[in-house]
Amino acid sequence: MHSFGYEIKSRQGRARAGIFHTPHGDLETPLFAPVGTQATIKSVTPSQLEELNAGLVLANTYHLYLRPGDETIAQLGGLHTFMHWDRPILTDSGGFQVFSLANTRKIDAEGVTFKSHIDGSTHRITPEKSILIQENLGADIIMAFDECGDPYDLEKNQVALRHTHAWAERCVKAKTRSDQALFGIIQGGVYPELRIQSVDYLASLDLPGYAIGGLSVGETKQETLAILELVDTYLPENKPRYLMGVGSPEDLITGVQRGVDIFDCVLPTRLARHHTAISRTGRINVANARYTSEKSPLDDTCSCYTCRNFSSAYLRHLVLAKEILAATLLTIHNLNTLLTLMRDIRFAIISGRFNEFAADFLEHYEKCA
Ligand SMILES: [Zn+2]
C-alpha cells in the first residue's frame, strides 16, 4: 500500500508550498508538469528533462490507448519503462480528448462511444475502461473519467455534472492498484452553485487529490479566477489541487495565488516548435530580424543549456534553416523558464514574500508582453 500524503510546508494567503508523496518520488508543489502527449515531451530526451529538474510529466490516455495500445505498453513494462522516465507520471482519463479530438461521439449515462481520429475505428470508453487503460499504463496519478460541458450552457452542465459524479464513483470502485492516486475532476462550467455541488460530492469520496476541469475552454479570465477562488474555499485543504491545461507564466502566478498546486500545459513545448521563446518579461519571436547578429543569449537572466551556450543569432539561424535543433534548444529554454519560475514561487511562499514576488512579476511581465 502506497501513501499519497500531501504535506503543506508553508502558506501565504491562499498560496501553498507543499510536498506530495508518490511511489516514484516526492513532488515539491506548486509545480508545472510538461506534457508528453505520446509518451514523449516533444523534441527533448528524458535526460534533458532530468537536467531541467522536471518532477511530474503528463501523458495522454486517449492517444496511448489508440496507439500503440495500453496492453502493449503494459507488456513492455508500463509507461515508466516504455518512455524511460522513473520520476512521477500523470495520465488524464481520456475524456477531454474524446470530446475534443474524436470524429464522432455519443454520450450516454454509461460512457462514450466515439470514432478514432486516426483510422475511424469505433471505440467505447466507460469509467471502468478508463481505469483499466490507466492501470495498464501505470502512471502514479490517474484521473477519473469525466464530462466537460460547454461552460455557458446550464442545462448541459447539469447533465455533464451528473455523469461526472456517477462516473467518479464508478472509477473508485473499478480501481484495483494501490500504487496509483485517483484524482477527481470538478466540473460545473461558470455556474457557482454547480461548482460547489461538484466540490461537495467529490470531496465526499475522500480522493487523494482534486483537479479543476472545464476551465480554459472559452470562458473569460475573470470567470476563471472567480471559479478558482470559489473552489479553493470549499476544497479540503490537505489535498493537492490540479488546474488542468493552464501554463502561461501569468496564469501560473494567478493560479498559485488562488490555491492551485499542480499545473500542466502544452504551451512551452508548442511555442518552442513555433519559434517562440518564453521569458520572465514576455514572449520572444526568435525569427525576428533584430537577432540577425545578436551575440547575447535569448534571455541573459536564464541559466539553461541553451542560454549558457548559444547566441540569439545562432538560434534565429536554426529557425530560418528549419533545423530540428531549433525546437530542442527552444523547448529546453521554455521549460526551464516555467520550471524555475515555479521553484522561485515555491521559495517565495516559504520565505513569506510571495505577495511581493507576484506583484513584481505581473507588473514586469505585463509591461513587456
Ligand atoms: Zn534559457
Side-chain angles (χ1 to χ4, degrees):
M1 189 72 185
H2 290 269
S3 158
F4 287 92
Y6 181 62
E7 296 170 56
I8 295 179
K9 293 287 177 194
S10 194
R11 65 176 87 219
Q12 202 182 343
R14 293 172 185 265
R16 305 124 58 88
I19 295 178
F20 186 56
H21 302 286
T22 86
H24 286 85
D26 289 348
L27 291 168
E28 294 194 332
T29 65
L31 68 81
F32 174 80
V35 178
T37 302
Q38 305 277 7
T40 165
I41 313 298
K42 291 189 198 304
S43 86
V44 291
T45 65
S47 64
Q48 286 166 328
L49 284 172
E50 277 171 20
E51 199 184 324
L52 290 164
N53 210 8
L56 178 70
V57 303
L58 189 136
N60 284 124
T61 290
Y62 169 86
H63 290 280
L64 298 173
Y65 158 72
L66 289 177
R67 181 178 57 196
D70 51 295
E71 286 172 10
T72 301
I73 290 176
Q75 280 160 18
L76 292 164
L79 203 46
H80 288 90
T81 306
F82 187 56
M83 66 187 283
H84 190 54
W85 182 252
D86 66 4
R87 295 181 183 185
I89 300 176
L90 182 154
T91 49
D92 59 4
S93 70
F96 185 75
Q97 266 83 22
V98 168
F99 293 108
S100 60
L101 283 182
N103 287 334
T104 60
R105 70 200 70 81
K106 198 176 164 300
I107 307 160
D108 55 67
E110 297 300 307
V112 186
T113 304
F114 62 95
K115 283 193 180 358
S116 157
H117 74 290
I118 300 170
D119 61 7
S121 55
T122 301
H123 300 265
R124 180 160 173 82
I125 295 189
T126 59
E128 291 76 15
K129 178 76 176 176
S130 172
I131 293 297
L132 177 66
I133 298 168
Q134 294 187 81
E135 290 196 342
N136 278 335
L137 296 175
D140 302 84
I141 302 171
I142 64 175
M143 303 304 295
F145 194 60
D146 67 322
E147 181 180 337
C148 174
D150 174 336
Y152 296 111
D153 187 324
L154 176 61
E155 214 165 290
K156 277 191 183 154
N157 266 289
Q158 286 167 331
V159 176
L161 210 60
R162 269 206 303 280
H163 288 160
T164 296
H165 294 171
W167 295 354
E169 206 166 328
R170 282 166 56 186
C171 286
V172 172
K173 287 193 182 125
K175 185 175 177 296
T176 64
R177 285 180 65 160
S178 64
D179 59 345
Q180 296 183 299
L182 173 66
F183 281 24
I185 305 179
I186 295 147
Q187 292 290 353
V190 298
Y191 302 101
E193 64 283 7
L194 295 188
R195 289 285 178 178
I196 293 171
Q197 205 182 310
S198 194
V199 173
D200 280 348
Y201 185 83
L202 293 170
S204 76
L205 298 178
D206 193 25
L207 299 169
Y210 294 96
I212 305 146
L215 291 176
S216 287
V217 289
E219 76 292 345
T220 67
K221 285 244 163 156
Q222 273 64 35
E223 286 167 330
T224 301
L225 297 180
I227 294 293
L228 289 180
E229 283 173 19
L230 179 76
V231 166
D232 171 73
T233 308
Y234 288 88
L235 272 172
E237 282 205 26
N238 59 343
K239 306 289 176 74
R241 295 90 176 267
Y242 163 35
L243 179 55
M244 308 173 84
V246 166
S248 71
E250 66 274 32
D251 291 345
L252 296 176
I253 297 263
T254 55
V256 170
Q257 280 176 324
R258 286 158 185 83
V260 177
D261 306 299
I262 300 173
F263 302 83
D264 82 281
C265 194
V266 296
L267 186 81
T269 44
R270 181 173 288 166
L271 284 179
R273 298 195 305 282
H274 293 90
H275 322 140
T276 302
I278 306 171
S279 80
R280 293 238 179 156
T281 51
R283 293 183 189 184
I284 301 164
N285 174 5
V286 182
N288 196 306
R290 69 199 276 201
Y291 300 119
T292 307
S293 311
E294 183 57 60
K295 284 184 193 149
S296 61
L298 272 185
D299 179 353
D300 52 19
T301 67
C302 179
S303 61
C304 81
Y305 171 77
T306 303
C307 292
R308 284 200 319 272
N309 296 294
F310 302 96
S311 65
S312 303
Y314 179 68
L315 295 170
R316 177 174 186 266
H317 158 69
L318 292 180
V319 163
L320 294 188
K322 297 187 167 52
E323 283 294 333
I324 293 168
L325 187 59
T328 298
L329 293 179
L330 290 175
T331 298
I332 287 172
H333 168 78
N334 284 353
L335 287 178
N336 189 65
T337 299
L338 296 194
L339 293 167
T340 53
L341 174 62
M342 295 312 282
R343 284 194 282 273
D344 289 351
I345 287 173
R346 188 172 195 277
F347 185 68
I349 296 169
I350 289 169
S351 49
R353 46 174 193 84
F354 175 62
N355 293 340
E356 296 85 329
F357 178 92
D360 185 56
F361 182 94
L362 292 174
E363 190 196 344
H364 201 52
Y365 193 84
E366 281 167 3
K367 238 189 264 170
C368 305

